[in-house]
Structure formats: C-alpha cells, structure tokens
Amino acid sequence: MNILFIMYDQLRFDYLSCAGHPTLQTPNFDRVAKMGVRFTNAYCQSPICGASRMSFYTGRYTSSHGAMWNGFPLRVGEMTLGDHLRDNGMDCFLIGKTHMKVDKKGMERLGLSPDTMIGARQTECGFDAIIRDDGLWGEGPDGFYDEKRSPYNEYLKSRGYEAENPWSDHANAGIEGDEVASGWMFKNADKPANIREEDSETPWLTSETIRFMDEQKAKGARPWCAHVSYIKPHWPYIVPAPYHDMYSTADMIDVARDPSERDNPHPVFAAYMKGKVASAFQRDEVREKVIPAYMGLIKQCDDQLGRLLDHLEATGELKNTMIVVTSDHGDYLGDHWLGEKDMFHDPSVKIPMIVYDPRKEADATRGKTCDALMEAIDLAATFVEATGGKVPDHIIEGRSLLPWLHGKTPEWRDYAISEYNYSQTSQRQELCVSIRDARLFMIFDGRYKMIHAEGGFRPMLFDLQEDPKEYRDLGSSPDHKDEIDRLYDCLAEWGRRMSQRVTVSDEDLAKMRNASGRRGILPFLYDGSEVPEDLTAKFRGKVKQKFVD
C-alpha cells in the first residue's frame, strides 16, 4: 500500500461542501470523504505554517520539537516521517512545500553535508525531495524572501514566461491596463491571474505528482509515501480564469464577528485585532474582494484533486493507496475582527482531515464522520501503524487513527492542545512581554476552549456548546472558575508529559531492568541468598591460587 499525504495551506475546515459550505461545491473532497472517514474535530498543533508542519512531520507537539514559528530551525536528529516509514520498508518523498528551516549550525557541528543522502534528508525534513517549493517567491529591496532556487519559476520560464520572477508577475498578479496588478494588493484579488490556468501553481504541482506516481509504478518501486503539499489557497489571494469570477459576495459565508468582542477584550486578542492584517480584513471591501478569490482557489484545488483521484483510478492504484487530505491551519478572513491565523478560534486552529484507507478492514466506516478530538500529530502515528510498524510512543506523541477507520472505539484523549509562539511579532512588543513569555496554549475538551497566555495575563475561555461562534470570552467570569481550574489542571497534566526521552522506549527500559545483574553486577548483597542462585555462580567455587595467609 502507498500513502498520498495531501496538505493544503491555509484551507479552512468549513470551506468544503462535505463540511457544510452552502455554495462552494467541492465534489472531489466529498469523494474522498465518501470513500473514507471525515474527522470533524481535528486541530493543528499551532496556527502558523512552519510550526504546524513540523508537528505533522514529527508527530510531536511544538514545545517538544522546538520549531515553534516560521524560520525556527528543526534541530538535527529530530525523527520525522521519513525516518519512521523507511524503517517499515516505505520510502518517503516530498512534492511541494514544507516551510522547514534547516539547522545549519547543527549540521556543521556534526559534519553533515547537504550533498550527502543523510545531509539532504536533514535539510528536507526527512523527505527525499522530488520538488521542494515553499511557494513564496516575493522580492524586495533586500532580495528574495526565499533564497533557495524556485523550481516553479524555472518551470514557468520553460513555458515562455519571460519575466525575471514569473511567480510574482504572472502566477500571482493580474493586469491593470498595461501594468502588473500584484496579488499582494487586496484590491486586485478579483482580477484573473495573468497566466494560463494549466501553468498556475496548483495544476503544476498536480502534474508533477502524477509524473512521480507513474515513474514509481514503471520502475516497480517499493511502497511510497508522497507528501503532496500545495501552497494554495494561501495568499496572495488571486486565481486564474475561469476561477476568478466563479463566486461573488452572494456566495460568502456571513462574517463571524460581534461588536461585544471589542468590548474590554483580552490584551493579546486586542493586540492582534489592531494589527495590519486584521485592520484590512475589518474592511468589507477587502473581504468582498478576497473571499470570492479564496473560494476560487479552493475550487481549483478541488478540481486538481479530481485529477489525482481519476489518475489513481485509471491506473488501478486507487485500491492500493491510502489518501489523506488536510491543511496546516485555517484562515480568519475577517472573522473575530482578524485576518490570517495566529489565534485559536475555530476558523484558524480547526482543520479539515479526511482519511481513506483502501483495505477491507475499513469497509464498515466508508462515508462516516468521527467527532472525537483529533490532532495533527495523529497522522504520523497512523502512517506508522498502517505500514505495519509499532508506534514508538516515546517519540511520536500522536495516536493512530486506524482503530477509528476500522470501526473500533479506542480509549482516546480528553482534550486537544495547540500552541503559539509570538516572540517575533509586533504584538509582543506592544504588550511589553518578554521573548520567553510570548507563548499561548490552547486546551479544548470538546465543549470548553481555554487559552493560557504566559506573562501574567488572565486566561480566555469559550463555551462552544452555548456560544459556538466563540463571541463571549468567559475568562474573567467568576461563574466559570471551576471550569478554568479544571482545564488548568489538564494543561498541567499535559505539561508534565514525558516528551524528551526519545532514545529509549518503555520496552527498552523494561528489558534493562535487572540486566546488569545477569552480567555480574550485584551490589548490596549480604550473602547472595537475596538473588537467584545462577546470578552468583561466577562468584562461587574453589580457590585456584592463594596470595594471602
């Protein structure tokens, strides 16, 4: 069995028709949901690209792997999907984005060169990279945002796009008269991108994935996991024709924000509501330009997912391929007076998660939904178990979803955790919070969602049963003190987890018990009768030579 691990960037869980979107039809996401299980309460481990993805790839919380924000290197030696799956006889490939930053100092310290197999995998988050393209090729006065080469730009140039940076001038820009209308400007979001649709980012990556699958089949390769990681529907919010005008303001979900949210808000929430991105999305004209384009980008993603599914079916590989569809985080799009991600309301931290297991053991659950609390780190555990391995739970902190996929009800978690480090942001400076205290923790038990902010702040609390839109912050309510205390106890329990003893498993420790005694280390005995006789056999017997009287 192969694994097609598909991730979209900044795709909200509620912008799929299988999740209830009223006008955005996504028949191919629905198609995977009908073949598999849709997990309705899945949460990412951090609502920011880099940190979230490092948790997907390691199966560990962000405070365990340490890469807690974009640009934080993942330390050398951190076990990833590639390491675990290769041990089970499966190769692990990357096609698209990881947002991983290499630990250059760690590699230099260990003498690892990126042009060796081990070094290359360390620089690519454990994957064997078919194509690494993180998808943000912006250029400013100090140069390019991403200093690596752009495979996508090279492709566009080979297709006749003559710009120095066709990603910027064509794939993510429209036309205003004779001028480039950059997708960085929200006012241009309703324009068609100045590119042939088949050359835009999502179809390009789909074509590369199909080519990869065909090559693997032709050479009779051993089982593979392909992480197909799309940049879209991430900003810049602009999409080629015909997707640019498929949707209008009439198709938009009503904005989820309430004036009461701005009445004495939590200081961290208040700081984010005053940010540049939030201020933009508080304007109706911005939402009315951006959201139809965002929906067009999702529709294009859905159509390209259909290409992958059709190809798998045509080649007979659909019945031999596990398919996972998910996202690294969501997008506020103006909800709660915010843009981007960065906080823990559901539009940001809740993610789509659909899993299709082709094996007969999963037949009973096809087309079902599961409402249990899932975390992004559960996928790493799922892949390990699906490939016949035992989940190394001293390393991987997630739990395998296979029991749910196979119709069982396992003992499960009582709460989900997400973390956010805002030490690099202007909000930290505005709040006068130290770099080490600029951390947020979310704990959600299925009803109550509490956010703890380091630095002496009160908590935030939302009751999603009574307030599903998360408008009323109950963090200072004396009537909810017991709930807050209970959730703090749960957070403390989670904080005491064993997360750094990754080199020795519980089974290893059990085997080590009394092992030294069987190798002749027997301290603290009085006459030897305290232990089995065979342990002292080497210390008994006739003296062969005497050197004392």
Side-chain angles (χ1 to χ4, degrees):
M1 184 178 71
N2 301 317
I3 298 174
L4 194 60
F5 173 24
I6 303 172
M7 183 181 292
Y8 300 91
D9 200 313
Q10 212 146 315
L11 173 61
R12 274 177 55 153
F13 76 98
D14 53 350
Y15 271 69
L16 305 175
S17 50
C18 58
H21 195 285
T23 57
L24 177 53
Q25 297 304 304
T26 51
N28 293 298
F29 285 100
D30 297 356
R31 183 174 166 189
V32 180
K34 289 174 183 174
M35 295 191 300
V37 175
R38 184 170 67 86
F39 295 95
T40 62
N41 278 305
Y43 288 83
C44 62
Q45 264 45 79
S46 184
I48 187 74
C49 299
S52 174
R53 287 166 177 273
M54 296 312 103
S55 288
F56 273 104
Y57 305 152
T58 63
R60 292 163 59 73
Y61 294 103
T62 66
S63 52
S64 296
H65 60 66
M68 301 180 73
W69 211 75
N70 294 342
F72 287 25
L74 183 69
R75 63 178 169 243
V76 165
E78 191 73 35
M79 292 281 286
T80 63
L81 277 175
D83 300 301
H84 295 297
L85 297 185
R86 288 185 194 99
D87 284 346
N88 295 343
M90 174 175 276
D91 290 324
C92 198
F93 299 97
L94 167 68
I95 307 170
K97 173 177 179 174
T98 65
H99 218 297
M100 181 256 194
K101 178 125 177 147
V102 64
D103 178 9
K104 289 184 178 179
K105 290 183 178 179
M107 290 190 60
E108 290 171 0
R109 185 178 71 252
L110 297 174
L112 293 176
S113 171
D115 59 4
T116 63
M117 183 180 70
I118 294 174
R121 287 173 176 170
Q122 287 294 320
T123 64
E124 300 293 0
C125 212
F127 296 105
D128 289 327
I130 302 300
I131 288 175
R132 164 77 183 271
D133 195 297
D134 285 352
L136 286 177
W137 303 105
E139 184 179 12
D142 293 337
F144 279 93
Y145 169 76
D146 194 329
E147 296 177 352
K148 299 184 294 296
R149 73 179 185 88
S150 167
Y152 180 56
N153 262 343
E154 292 174 5
Y155 165 78
L156 291 180
K157 290 175 181 179
S158 76
R159 294 280 291 168
Y161 297 87
E162 298 177 356
E164 181 181 347
N165 184 355
W167 176 91
S168 177
D169 291 354
H170 290 279
N172 288 280
I175 299 174
E176 183 75 54
D178 293 329
E179 297 293 320
V180 171
S182 174
W184 291 116
M185 317 305 172
F186 288 150
K187 70 174 185 175
N188 297 323
D190 59 347
K191 294 178 173 61
N194 182 24
I195 191 171
R196 293 183 291 267
E197 191 272 332
E198 64 268 23
D199 291 334
S200 59
E201 290 158 287
T202 303
W204 167 70
L205 205 67
T206 302
S207 296
E208 293 297 326
T209 303
I210 290 171
R211 180 179 61 80
F212 161 81
M213 292 191 295
D214 287 346
E215 289 177 353
Q216 292 296 300
K217 186 170 185 178
K219 67 184 182 182
R222 71 177 190 164
W224 48 259
C225 171
H227 178 40
V228 181
S229 185
Y230 290 96
I231 182 62
K232 296 300 184 181
H234 193 283
W235 42 259
Y237 304 103
I238 192 167
V239 64
Y243 298 97
H244 73 291
D245 62 358
M246 281 187 177
Y247 303 97
S248 69
T249 56
D251 299 303
M252 292 166 50
I253 300 174
D254 290 340
V255 64
R257 64 189 183 203
D258 191 271
S260 64
E261 294 180 283
R262 307 178 89 172
D263 181 18
N264 192 30
H266 188 282
V268 179
F269 183 28
Y272 274 94
M273 282 194 286
K274 290 190 292 185
K276 180 176 66 173
V277 177
S279 297
F281 275 96
Q282 289 162 17
R283 298 168 56 182
D284 289 340
E285 62 268 32
V286 168
R287 296 184 67 256
E288 290 168 1
K289 290 272 191 177
V290 165
I291 293 178
Y294 179 76
M295 294 171 68
L297 288 165
I298 293 172
K299 178 60 176 172
Q300 187 186 36
C301 288
D302 183 79
D303 287 348
Q304 294 301 311
L305 175 60
R307 280 184 66 200
L308 291 176
L309 297 176
D310 290 347
H311 187 77
L312 286 168
E313 196 160 33
T315 57
E317 292 300 313
L318 190 61
K319 62 181 181 294
N320 188 44
T321 305
M322 173 178 277
I323 300 173
V324 173
V325 174
T326 190
S327 177
D328 56 356
H329 51 73
D331 193 329
Y332 274 107
L333 297 172
D335 287 357
H336 304 285
W337 310 97
L338 297 173
E340 271 281 81
K341 41 266 188 187
D342 302 317
M343 294 288 285
F344 297 105
H345 301 89
D346 272 3
S348 172
V349 74
K350 192 173 181 179
I351 55 174
M353 188 180 288
I354 308 170
V355 183
Y356 159 64
D357 184 341
R359 296 170 297 186
K360 60 180 176 54
E361 292 89 343
D363 286 350
T365 62
R366 304 205 186 282
K368 305 291 187 183
T369 59
C370 177
D371 300 331
L373 289 170
M374 304 300 167
E375 295 182 331
I377 55 178
D378 294 336
L379 288 180
T382 303
F383 295 163
V384 169
E385 188 172 4
T387 53
K390 183 180 185 298
V391 177
D393 58 7
H394 62 298
I395 303 173
I396 291 178
E397 298 184 280
R399 306 181 185 191
S400 171
L401 303 179
L402 285 192
W404 298 105
L405 295 170
H406 295 171
K408 300 173 184 176
T409 304
E411 183 179 346
W412 205 245
R413 63 173 59 89
D414 297 320
Y415 48 81
I417 297 288
S418 191
E419 305 170 79
Y420 187 70
N421 183 307
Y422 64 102
S423 58
Q424 290 196 143
T425 69
S426 60
Q427 285 81 8
R428 179 193 70 80
Q429 294 173 310
E430 179 183 338
L431 292 164
C432 298
V433 173
S434 73
I435 286 175
R436 294 198 172 189
D437 281 346
R439 292 178 292 142
L440 303 173
F441 299 84
M442 180 207 82
I443 181 166
F444 177 52
D445 68 1
R447 174 176 178 176
Y448 288 102
K449 181 187 292 184
M450 187 184 78
I451 296 95
H452 166 73
E454 284 288 287
F457 298 107
R458 68 164 177 84
M460 292 172 258
L461 181 72
F462 299 95
D463 180 352
L464 273 71
Q465 178 175 297
E466 299 299 323
D467 176 29
K469 295 289 188 181
E470 303 176 89
Y471 292 151
R472 297 188 297 276
D473 180 1
L474 306 171
S476 58
S477 166
D479 295 337
H480 293 83
K481 183 180 182 302
D482 289 346
E483 296 297 344
I484 290 171
D485 289 346
R486 177 181 63 83
L487 289 170
Y488 264 118
D489 286 343
C490 292
L491 189 61
E493 174 191 58
W494 172 81
R496 294 191 299 270
R497 73 195 184 283
M498 192 285 296
S499 64
Q500 297 301 319
R501 195 230 315 140
V502 297
T503 57
V504 185
S505 69
D506 292 0
E507 291 80 3
D508 292 334
L509 291 174
K511 292 175 184 176
M512 289 166 63
R513 177 67 178 160
N514 294 325
S516 60
R518 299 199 62 79
R519 291 180 176 272
I521 305 301
L522 300 170
F524 318 123
L525 302 183
Y526 177 68
D527 62 6
S529 64
E530 299 92 337
V531 297
E533 192 172 292
D534 64 327
L535 298 188
T536 60
K538 293 290 185 180
F539 303 110
R540 290 182 280 106
K542 296 291 186 180
V543 174
K544 296 178 180 178
Q545 292 179 282
K546 291 184 180 181
F547 296 96
V548 295
D549 292 334

